Amino acid sequence: MIERNLTQEEVDALPFEHNLSDGHAFRSWTPAESAIIGESARFFAESDRRGGQRAEAEYIRRYLALGGQSYIPDYFTGLMSYSASMAVEIVGNLLRLRGLSAALIEPCFDNIADILLRHRVPLQPFPETVLTDGTAALEALLETLTADVIFLVSPNNPTGTVVGEAAFTRIVEYCVAEGKLLVLDGCFRVYLSDEEVYDHYRILAASGIDCVVIEDTGKVWPAAELKAPFLSVSPRLVSAVVGMHSDFLLHLSPFTVRLITEFVCLAEADGGRYLRELVAENRTLFKSRIPGSFLRTDDTQKLGLAWLEVSAGGLDGEGVRRLLAERGVHVLSGERFYWSSPHLGRRHLRMALLRDPDIIVHASAVIAGLGHELGVG
């Protein structure tokens, strides 16, 4: 039997109303977002690919600014993408062609490890615990790393763990000194609070490091899967990456770039606070209705997701996932997020919060009811 990956499980859940498996933004529009959608026919009519490169550059500048990041076109080349996964595919190709190995953060969404392994990139774990256990833990790991590349996700999916500024700066210094390449997935950065934001791009450019940064919008705005991901590529990697990128994509639809730029402009008005508040409200709704004797939240509240630990003895995440699916609520179990040590995720579930409140309330009632059935609610 072929083992199913997390994306295949998400696809299976698409027909169901109470689908909280994927981390994409599926919620009703706010009034301001609805007004943007109402203008979409005009955006479509005005789209002209002759101005696409200028529009893409302006979009990248504004999106990075929304996340508190510098736009540095003299150092980074921005390449639009259909999806963040396509960007990872390009990275996988690059590492394979150069015969490089990678230290990949664990846990992370399984398709990152799957893509790299499909390209026969040797992997070693970069446990995210070294980012939270203090300087000594990080230094001890760096002393033992043999990989040519460090691949980080911050904030990390599924836990929300953030690579703090001091740790990030140290990792960049290490990579420069040791001649290693750094890949950073920042696809959930919009959900960070102002206090947690620092400028990845400024630090990277100042160091002269070889790096790729992956950005995405599919986890932010409900745009019917229209999104505008991109890669930011440092100078010495550009020629190799551009060649591969052009095999995948002539250019992203100028309509899509315009639509997502409008969403970015909307979020600029309050620095993205409304986006974070929508998630926070759903998180509060959920936590207030779920008995801690059954499930407890085990994340840092930095994503549009909840990472849950099964706190009742004798149960694991996959068992609870199956029971919930039988009751019409679809989430993901945690084992596959731990690509090297699946047992570490055995008691976990991941649940999306980028849904309408009534979906969260219904799912909460089903989960609480299941806890009661099992005698742990």
Side-chain angles (χ1 to χ4, degrees):
M1 181 178 177
I2 298 175
E3 186 176 8
R4 299 181 67 73
N5 62 31
L6 293 173
T7 302
Q8 288 168 328
E9 291 185 16
E10 292 174 343
V11 169
D12 288 345
L14 287 177
F16 297 96
E17 180 180 5
H18 299 104
N19 168 23
L20 296 97
S21 62
D22 63 87
H24 294 204
F26 284 98
R27 57 168 174 80
S28 297
W29 302 312
T30 66
E33 290 171 341
S34 184
I36 290 173
I37 298 300
E39 291 290 299
S40 60
R42 178 170 64 85
F43 302 156
F44 192 93
E46 293 174 352
S47 294
D48 185 344
R49 69 178 186 171
R50 290 173 296 180
Q53 292 178 344
R54 291 191 304 274
E56 289 172 1
E58 177 63 8
Y59 155 70
I60 290 173
R61 183 190 69 79
R62 300 187 83 144
Y63 181 78
L64 290 177
L66 182 64
Q69 304 300 300
S70 293
Y71 175 60
I72 312 175
D74 291 340
Y75 194 80
F76 289 102
T77 297
L79 300 172
M80 303 303 298
S81 178
Y82 286 128
S83 67
S85 298
M86 186 184 112
V88 176
E89 175 69 18
I90 291 173
V91 170
N93 271 285
L94 177 69
L95 302 193
R96 173 179 54 82
L97 291 171
R98 295 194 171 191
L100 302 179
S101 58
L104 174 63
I105 195 166
E106 186 178 42
C108 68
F109 196 76
D110 68 342
N111 76 332
I112 298 178
D114 287 349
I115 289 171
L116 296 178
L117 290 171
R118 192 173 300 120
H119 284 285
R120 299 184 179 180
V121 175
L123 297 182
Q124 69 180 108
F126 191 106
E128 70 168 20
T129 52
V130 305
L131 302 170
T132 57
D133 288 351
T135 303
L138 176 59
E139 292 297 333
L141 177 66
L142 294 179
E143 288 178 5
T144 63
L145 280 186
T146 59
D148 306 301
V149 179
I150 295 178
F151 195 131
L152 302 176
V153 182
S154 182
N156 195 20
N157 174 13
T159 63
T161 295
V162 174
V163 184
E165 184 171 7
F168 185 74
T169 301
R170 176 66 185 106
I171 291 168
V172 170
E173 292 171 348
Y174 167 82
C175 288
V176 172
E178 299 296 327
K180 298 183 186 293
L181 189 154
L182 180 64
V183 180
L184 174 66
D185 178 331
C187 291
F188 286 91
R189 69 165 73 252
V190 170
Y191 294 106
L192 293 175
S193 65
D194 293 341
E195 295 74 26
E196 294 161 321
V197 171
Y198 61 93
D199 196 338
H200 290 131
Y201 284 75
R202 178 186 58 78
I203 293 170
L204 292 167
S207 74
I209 193 174
D210 292 333
C211 62
V212 177
V213 186
I214 300 170
E215 310 283 357
D216 193 13
T217 62
K219 289 86 172 174
V220 184
W221 290 286
E225 291 295 0
L226 293 174
K227 49 192 175 182
F230 61 94
L231 304 84
S232 297
V233 184
S234 62
R236 286 185 292 269
L237 300 178
V238 169
S239 60
V241 172
V242 165
M244 288 182 282
H245 177 270
S246 64
D247 288 335
F248 289 101
L249 179 64
L250 174 63
H251 65 90
L252 200 64
S253 161
F255 166 73
T256 299
V257 174
R258 172 68 182 277
L259 180 69
I260 302 303
T261 300
E262 294 291 331
F263 279 118
V264 173
C265 294
L266 174 63
E268 286 173 347
D270 67 355
R273 188 176 65 249
Y274 89 92
L275 296 168
R276 297 189 290 273
E277 288 177 350
L278 288 169
V279 174
E281 290 167 5
N282 277 348
R283 188 182 298 276
T284 299
L285 272 176
F286 177 74
K287 291 178 69 173
S288 68
R289 288 165 167 78
I290 299 301
S293 56
F294 182 26
L295 297 177
R296 71 176 184 86
T297 54
D298 194 25
D299 59 68
T300 61
Q301 304 184 36
K302 303 297 184 278
L303 307 175
L305 302 164
W307 182 238
L308 307 169
E309 183 178 7
V310 181
S311 51
L315 295 169
D316 63 15
E318 176 59 17
V320 174
R321 184 199 69 79
R322 290 177 181 273
L323 291 170
L324 290 175
E326 291 172 0
R327 290 157 176 78
V329 172
H330 297 268
V331 298
L332 297 180
S333 55
E335 290 186 24
R336 288 192 60 87
F337 289 93
Y338 284 86
W339 56 269
S340 175
S341 303
H343 66 280
L344 296 178
R346 193 156 291 152
R347 293 179 64 85
H348 282 82
L349 298 165
R350 197 198 74 174
M351 186 186 90
L353 295 172
L354 292 168
R355 303 292 190 270
D356 288 333
D358 63 310
I359 299 294
I360 301 297
V361 169
H362 175 86
S364 302
V366 171
I367 293 170
L370 177 59
H372 181 73
E373 288 179 42
L374 298 172
V376 291

